[in-house]
Amino acid sequence: MDGILFGGASPALTTINKTCKSLSPFSHPLSRNHFTFNTGTNKYYSLRISPHKVESSRGKSRDDVAFRGDAAYEAERLGLDAEARQSMAEASEREAADATNPRAWKWTIRKRVWDAMEANNVARFPRPVHHRIPNFVGASAAANKLSELDVFRASKCVKVNPDSPQKQVRLLTLEGGKTLLTPQPRLRTGFFSIVELHMLTPSTLNEACTSVGVAKYGRPIGLDEKIKVDLIVIGSVAVDPNTGARLGKGEGFAELEYGMLRYMGAIDDSTPVVTSVHDQQLVDDIPVEKLLIHDVPVDIICTPTQVIFTRTQIPKPQGIYWDKLSPEKLGQIRVLRELKRKIEQETGQKLPSGSSEKLPPTCQRRR
């Protein structure tokens, strides 16, 4: 199947509907290798990948063209992301049912928020929003409020998460002439990439705000890069405006990204952390005393209707907490393995590791 997915010489590479040349996030994973896509005009197209052929359909008409490697990678990525969410759903059910699990209460709050967003129809594509940083009605309005903050206006380099509801924040960052620092989703294909306006054209600006576009147009950086990040924008599932306590979707990548930036010296305790969420993601029952040492609090919350300064008193993480990092997670993220090896070589001491865990699948870019 590699020939199809990553640009090999399979004859299947010659067939796909021309309207799928620039794929948006899928609407429904029908199976591991069968997806439907929304082209942005409320028209849906089908893509089926098999070891021998790629089939696409659009009602009664069809126009076959060369299948692009980027599109194939994106299709496989979306399929594996669907598997990842299913795996997270199963893990969340196990943990929520275990009263002794220190993370059980987090899943209770997450599920309540996800359910409410769907029930009240404030969720936006991709749906359902469960086990995602949820996209929401008014995400652009929240992003616009964020862009009016003094800390944003004064920033030269802004780190923004790669999720759908923060796409407008990434666009406003670039349009404002600022350096955009963004990670690859789940750190699956590397570390962070830097994107700047001079690297783009008007026709590639919007694509550069997507995860595929960042990989395509951005400049990858390593842990030895000398940068200063002036502002961190982070996605959330739930956030408490009274304390600044925040819950993500449960995989811990935002915390890892924050810890690595601390290690690099790119941020410190004074670096503002901002999140953009829907008003229905505001909660008042996150128990601060139950937060873990690596949980990242937020200083400012932007919703479509308001800006909240939390004045959080929750300590920010000071780096990477290796004793919280499972061997499986470490094995999944190359940059962390390299950093661990470097630190152990320099200190002559073996770093601790966390408990074992079952991880969801990821998609590796092989080209």
Side-chain angles (χ1 to χ4, degrees):
M1 193 163 175
D2 286 357
I4 296 176
L5 293 178
F6 302 103
S10 166
L13 210 57
T14 60
T15 58
I16 189 171
N17 191 283
K18 68 179 180 180
T19 55
C20 291
K21 285 194 290 183
S22 57
L23 298 175
S24 64
F26 69 96
S27 57
H28 298 288
L30 303 182
S31 69
R32 167 71 181 269
N33 300 316
H34 189 192
F35 315 95
T36 58
F37 297 87
N38 185 339
T39 64
T41 57
N42 293 323
K43 296 180 180 178
Y44 288 81
Y45 303 87
S46 174
L47 170 64
R48 186 188 300 274
I49 302 174
S50 74
H52 305 292
K53 60 184 177 180
V54 176
E55 300 173 346
S56 63
S57 63
R58 186 187 68 167
K60 298 180 180 179
S61 63
R62 172 172 176 163
D63 189 358
D64 294 337
V65 296
F67 188 68
R68 290 175 51 188
D70 281 349
Y73 162 73
E74 182 70 349
E76 177 71 352
R77 182 186 74 82
L78 294 172
L80 289 174
D81 277 354
E83 290 186 25
R85 287 191 300 279
Q86 179 60 36
S87 178
M88 283 191 290
E90 294 168 358
S92 70
E93 290 177 2
R94 290 193 302 270
E95 293 183 2
D98 182 1
T100 65
N101 191 301
R103 297 182 294 188
W105 63 270
K106 291 184 175 182
W107 289 114
T108 300
I109 296 175
R110 289 183 183 113
K111 185 177 186 303
R112 187 184 74 220
V113 171
W114 285 324
D115 287 349
M117 293 182 74
E118 287 290 349
N120 297 321
N121 204 29
V122 300
R124 283 193 63 188
F125 183 87
R127 297 173 73 172
V129 293
H130 295 73
H131 303 287
R132 307 178 193 266
I133 296 296
N135 200 4
F136 57 91
V137 173
S140 292
N144 291 337
K145 285 189 179 295
L146 193 156
S147 71
E148 295 169 357
L149 295 172
D150 289 341
V151 291
F152 181 85
R153 289 175 172 170
S155 296
K156 295 180 180 178
C157 179
V158 183
K159 183 264 183 185
V160 187
N161 59 296
D163 301 284
S164 297
Q166 283 72 44
K167 181 180 178 182
Q168 180 72 3
V169 178
R170 297 191 291 275
L171 179 62
L172 291 169
T173 298
L174 290 172
E175 288 183 337
K178 306 176 190 299
T179 297
L180 172 64
L181 180 69
T182 191
Q184 285 297 300
R186 294 190 174 90
L187 300 174
R188 60 159 66 85
T189 60
F191 183 37
F192 287 91
S193 291
I194 283 176
V195 186
E196 296 177 311
L197 194 59
H198 69 83
M199 303 162 68
L200 308 168
T201 66
S203 63
T204 60
L205 177 59
N206 192 62
E207 183 186 5
C209 298
T210 67
S211 58
V212 172
V214 166
K216 188 174 182 179
Y217 301 109
R219 176 175 67 84
I221 67 169
L223 286 164
D224 56 350
E225 185 89 8
K226 301 302 180 185
I227 59 171
K228 180 180 182 298
V229 176
D230 302 304
L231 179 67
I232 291 177
V233 179
I234 192 170
S236 302
V237 172
V239 62
D240 189 332
N242 299 307
T243 65
R246 166 200 170 269
L247 297 182
K249 65 179 180 286
E251 290 189 295
F253 284 100
E255 288 75 18
L256 286 174
E257 294 157 11
Y258 187 94
M260 285 188 276
L261 289 174
R262 285 297 293 250
Y263 171 82
M264 294 169 64
I267 60 174
D268 56 29
D269 281 338
S270 67
T271 307
V273 179
V274 185
T275 192
S276 60
V277 295
H278 193 273
D279 292 88
Q280 292 193 17
Q281 293 174 258
L282 302 178
V283 302
D284 61 3
D285 59 344
I286 298 178
V288 172
E289 70 277 5
K290 291 186 178 181
L291 292 176
L292 302 177
I293 192 171
H294 57 270
D295 286 327
V296 180
V298 301
D299 299 291
I300 307 172
I301 304 168
C302 295
T303 80
T305 67
Q306 59 186 318
V307 174
I308 303 168
F309 293 85
T310 69
R311 296 178 175 82
T312 184
Q313 299 299 307
I314 302 170
K316 292 177 179 174
Q318 299 300 298
I320 300 169
Y321 296 94
W322 298 99
D323 59 333
K324 309 295 183 185
L325 190 61
S326 71
E328 291 81 7
K329 182 81 78 175
L330 187 66
Q332 189 183 77
I333 305 173
R334 176 178 54 81
V335 67
L336 278 179
R337 297 197 302 273
E338 293 174 353
L339 176 58
K340 185 174 187 285
R341 183 165 54 249
K342 176 183 176 183
I343 294 174
E344 290 178 337
Q345 289 175 348
E346 291 176 349
T347 64
Q349 297 181 340
K350 186 174 178 61
L351 291 171
S353 63
S355 302
S356 181
E357 64 176 328
K358 180 181 179 182
L359 294 178
T362 60
C363 179
Q364 298 291 338
R365 180 181 284 268
R366 304 180 191 177
R367 50 186 188 111

